[in-house]
Amino acid sequence: MKILASALLDELKEITRQHLQYAQILTQKTEEELNFRPSTDNWSTLECLEHLNRYGDFYIPEISRNISSAGKSLQPYFRPGILGNYFAKSMIPKEKMNKMKTFKTMNPIHSQINKGVIDTFIKQQEKLLELLEDARQTDLEKVKTNISISKLIKLKLGDTFRFVIYHNLRHIEQIKRILPH
């Protein structure tokens, strides 16, 4: 499967813009609404965002570092890697969402968190938009990034972007299902 790199970056920017808009709406909610948990073992809205922030704390500097050290090199097409494509596709929300285990360090359940996590999420989405724009001058296939679970595995930059943004999408959809209207 070969994807036009500019079309991929446009799609990911649009998804990220939607996440940013939704996060702005969340700032209007009360802490009580944002801490609502459908059951004791489900995450609240703030816990979902904290989970995403923890991943962002790893991936945003990782992506940034690799883009800045790559130099300019334009490749019009992006071909997903086998592992990266699998990771990215596994994050895309489906009608019936399968539960996934998360690593202990990435699990925010019962953490002491407040609405400040929304501000962090907003800043991370703004930075992601900048990085997606910077990536237009970068070869999405040749530039590789580490992944959060192992320094031994590297993904193509395009797959890393897809994984991070689809992972955000997955949890934004989760928030939309749990947040009282």
Side-chain angles (χ1 to χ4, degrees):
M1 165 173 97
K2 200 161 70 167
I3 305 165
L4 195 59
S6 61
L8 173 64
L9 293 170
D10 288 344
E11 174 203 340
L12 296 175
K13 278 181 84 168
E14 182 53 34
I15 293 169
T16 303
R17 274 193 209 97
Q18 290 171 14
H19 295 163
L20 198 46
Q21 288 174 330
Y22 188 67
Q24 299 289 354
I25 293 166
L26 293 178
T27 64
Q28 306 305 309
K29 301 285 185 185
T30 66
E31 275 207 18
E32 186 180 355
E33 290 173 302
L34 296 168
N35 279 307
F36 170 77
R37 187 182 287 122
S39 72
T40 53
D41 60 340
N42 285 37
W43 291 347
S44 68
T45 297
L46 291 180
E47 288 168 336
C48 286
L49 292 175
E50 174 62 16
H51 171 72
L52 295 178
N53 290 346
R54 290 176 186 190
Y55 273 96
D57 286 344
F58 174 82
Y59 281 104
I60 290 171
E62 178 68 14
I63 291 168
S64 182
R65 191 170 38 257
N66 284 288
I67 287 175
S68 30
S69 66
K72 294 187 183 208
S73 165
L74 201 53
Q75 181 64 19
Y77 291 97
F78 171 70
R79 206 181 309 267
I82 293 168
L83 193 59
N85 197 41
Y86 170 79
F87 286 152
K89 282 184 165 183
S90 72
M91 289 298 123
I92 297 173
K94 297 165 189 64
E95 185 94 16
K96 173 98 172 79
M97 290 275 254
N98 54 326
K99 272 199 164 202
M100 293 182 147
K101 283 266 188 219
T102 191
F103 294 94
K104 194 174 185 146
T105 57
M106 298 299 185
N107 189 343
I109 198 157
H110 305 302
S111 298
Q112 291 299 106
I113 48 181
N114 58 37
K115 284 178 82 168
V117 300
I118 300 172
D119 297 330
T120 302
F121 182 76
I122 287 170
K123 285 184 183 100
Q124 287 187 356
Q125 298 318 292
E126 290 168 343
K127 184 63 180 171
L128 262 178
L129 287 172
E130 285 175 30
L131 291 171
L132 286 162
E133 196 53 44
D134 293 347
R136 291 190 186 282
Q137 307 300 315
T138 309
D139 188 329
L140 298 178
E141 279 189 45
K142 282 204 172 85
V143 175
K144 305 272 199 276
T145 63
N146 289 318
I147 64 171
S148 60
I149 58 173
S150 171
K151 298 260 193 254
L152 302 175
I153 301 171
K154 290 188 179 289
L155 297 182
K156 296 176 179 184
L157 178 61
D159 286 329
T160 302
F161 273 127
R162 290 170 65 226
F163 168 78
V164 170
I165 292 165
Y166 294 162
H167 181 241
N168 288 349
L169 179 61
R170 176 183 190 85
H171 289 290
I172 294 292
E173 291 302 316
Q174 180 182 0
I175 290 169
K176 288 177 180 175
R177 287 193 314 275
I178 61 174
L179 194 60
H181 293 59

